[in-house]
Amino acid sequence: MDHRAGPQGVRLGDANASRIGPRYLLATGAGLALGLLTLLAVLGGLGATGHLPPPAIANSLCIDEKLSFLRDHAPAHANLLVAGSSVAWRHAAGGVLAALSGMAPFNVGFCGLNVAQSADVIGWMHKRYRSVERVLLLIAPPDFARCTGQPAWNLADADRYVFERAPKWPYYLRYFDPISLVRNATQVHDKRSNRTPLDPLLFTEYGDGPLDTDRSDDLNFGPVYALDTRCFSALHGLADSLSSSRVELMVVISPIHPDWKARYDADGQVTRRFAREVASSLHGTRATLWNSDDGSPFAASEFTDALHLRWSAVQRFSRMLAAQLSPRATTY
C-alpha cells in the first residue's frame, strides 16, 4: 500500500506532477525571458554611458580590456611580439621600437600573468600571427613566484572572441558575474579616461599601456620569498619551442626599483639567483638574454612602484631595448 496516497486514492506525487502544467512552464519561460531582457537592457545602458566593461572572459578587468583591444586592433603584419606580464605591457614603447629596429612590433603583454601563462599567450599569438620573426619577453621576479599550470583564461573562447570576432553578447551571458559586473562598471570609465593614473586602461596603436603620470604608488610589491621551479621549466619549454619554429626569443629582465632592492634584497641574493636561473633555463636554446636590471640607470623617481617605469622613462628604456635587438645579446 502506498502511504502517500490521498483520501481519494490519488498519489501525492501524481498530484504534484499535475500542477506542472502549461501555466507553470509559461511563467518560468516568461521569467527567464524577462531576466534576459533586463540584463541586456542594463548592458545596453552601460554601453550608452561609457560604463560597459568588456566580457569577463578572464574575470580581470585589465586582461579583459586587453582582449577587447586585440579584437578591435589586430595588426596585419606584426613581426615582433612584445609579451609577458604588466612589465611587458607597460615598458615597451612600440613607436620607439618600430623607428629604431625597423620591425613591426605589437604588444601582447597582459597584467598579472606568471611566466607559464605568458608562454601560453605567446604560443597562441604565434599561431595567429604567422609573420612573427622575434619575440621579446619582459620578465620580473614576481612572474616566477608561482606557476600552477592553470591558464589565465579559456584560450579557445578568447580565440573565437578576438580573432574570429564572435558576437560579444553571448560572452556576457556565459561569463556573467553580477559582483564583478557592478565593480567593473563603476571603474572602467575612469580607467579608460586616465582618471586613475596609476592603473589606467589606455593603449597605444601598438598595444602598449602607458603609465603617463608623475604619481607614485610606493613600492606596492613585497618580498619574493621563493621562485617556482615550474616557472623556469615553462620558460625553457617556451624557448625550446620557439627555437624549433625558427622564431628568435629575447628574454629581458626588467629594471627593479632601487628602494625595493635596498629593502628586500640588500645583499642582492634574490636578483642574482633570479638572473642565474633564468640564464640556466635558456641554456641549450637559441634564446638570448639581457639583464637590464644589472647596472640599471633608472632612478627611484622614474618608477611608479617597485616594478613599473613611468612613460617618460619607458622612452629611454625602449631605446635601450632597440639597441639590444641588434646586435644580438648574449646567447645561452
Side-chain angles (χ1 to χ4, degrees):
M1 177 178 179
D2 189 344
H3 296 288
R4 296 184 303 154
Q8 302 301 320
V10 178
R11 295 178 184 270
L12 296 182
D14 293 342
N16 290 334
S18 67
R19 297 192 189 105
I20 305 176
R23 290 185 180 180
Y24 176 84
L25 296 176
L26 182 61
T28 300
L32 292 174
L34 180 61
L36 177 60
L37 290 174
T38 300
L39 175 59
L40 293 176
V42 169
L43 296 176
L46 291 173
T49 60
H51 291 83
L52 179 64
I57 295 173
N59 204 19
S60 164
L61 182 56
C62 62
I63 291 177
D64 292 323
E65 187 77 352
K66 184 66 176 278
L67 290 173
S68 289
F69 173 85
L70 295 179
R71 173 185 171 97
D72 296 331
H73 298 87
H77 302 292
N79 58 16
L80 171 64
L81 287 184
V82 180
S85 63
S86 58
V87 293
W89 178 30
R90 304 294 196 188
H91 280 189
V96 174
L97 293 178
L100 297 182
S101 72
M103 302 196 75
F106 192 57
N107 193 310
V108 294
F110 289 87
C111 68
L113 300 191
N114 62 53
V115 72
Q117 293 168 336
S118 292
D120 290 340
V121 169
I122 291 169
W124 172 34
M125 293 296 167
H126 180 227
K127 290 178 182 178
R128 283 298 187 172
Y129 297 123
R130 304 307 299 181
S131 55
V132 169
E133 301 170 5
R134 305 185 75 173
V135 172
L136 191 59
L137 174 64
L138 276 70
I139 59 174
D143 302 340
F144 289 73
R146 189 166 182 263
C147 291
T148 63
Q150 295 297 318
W153 59 83
N154 186 312
L155 291 177
D157 272 2
D159 188 73
R160 289 188 289 270
Y161 176 74
V162 172
F163 292 106
E164 297 178 14
R165 295 189 59 80
K168 66 172 57 177
W169 298 113
Y171 286 88
Y172 282 101
L173 301 179
R174 184 178 306 166
Y175 292 99
F176 177 65
D177 181 338
I179 295 175
S180 66
L181 177 63
V182 171
R183 181 182 64 245
N184 294 340
T186 61
Q187 298 175 359
V188 70
H189 184 269
D190 286 347
K191 290 180 181 292
R192 289 170 177 163
S193 305
N194 202 25
R195 295 175 183 170
T196 56
L198 292 172
D199 189 26
L201 289 175
L202 302 175
F203 303 93
T204 70
E205 62 181 296
Y206 299 98
D208 320 322
L211 289 171
D212 194 4
T213 177
D214 293 329
R215 294 177 58 185
S216 298
D217 195 18
D218 192 29
L219 294 180
N220 202 31
F221 287 86
V224 176
Y225 292 107
L227 298 171
D228 191 339
T229 57
R230 295 172 295 182
C231 297
F232 295 99
S233 296
L235 177 60
H236 178 81
L238 171 67
D240 193 50
S241 174
L242 290 179
S243 294
S244 299
S245 300
R246 300 186 181 278
V247 174
E248 297 182 34
L249 171 65
M250 175 179 284
V251 178
V252 177
I253 298 176
S254 192
I256 301 174
H257 198 302
D259 291 351
W260 185 93
K261 289 186 282 188
R263 184 181 302 180
Y264 298 117
D265 190 30
D267 58 4
Q269 288 191 25
V270 172
T271 49
R272 284 198 300 271
R273 179 193 165 201
F274 177 62
R276 185 171 61 249
E277 295 200 19
V278 169
S280 178
S281 299
L282 300 178
H283 183 74
T285 71
R286 298 174 59 193
T288 59
L289 172 65
W290 176 43
N291 183 0
S292 72
D293 185 55
D294 186 13
S296 168
F298 296 100
S301 61
E302 296 181 281
F303 289 82
T304 63
D305 60 24
L307 300 179
H308 299 105
L309 294 167
R310 59 186 85 255
W311 195 239
S312 55
V314 167
Q315 307 305 303
R316 180 157 56 105
F317 181 65
S318 297
R319 291 194 291 271
M320 297 164 65
L321 278 175
Q324 289 292 321
L325 287 170
S326 182
R328 304 291 189 265
T330 305
T331 302
Y332 288 85

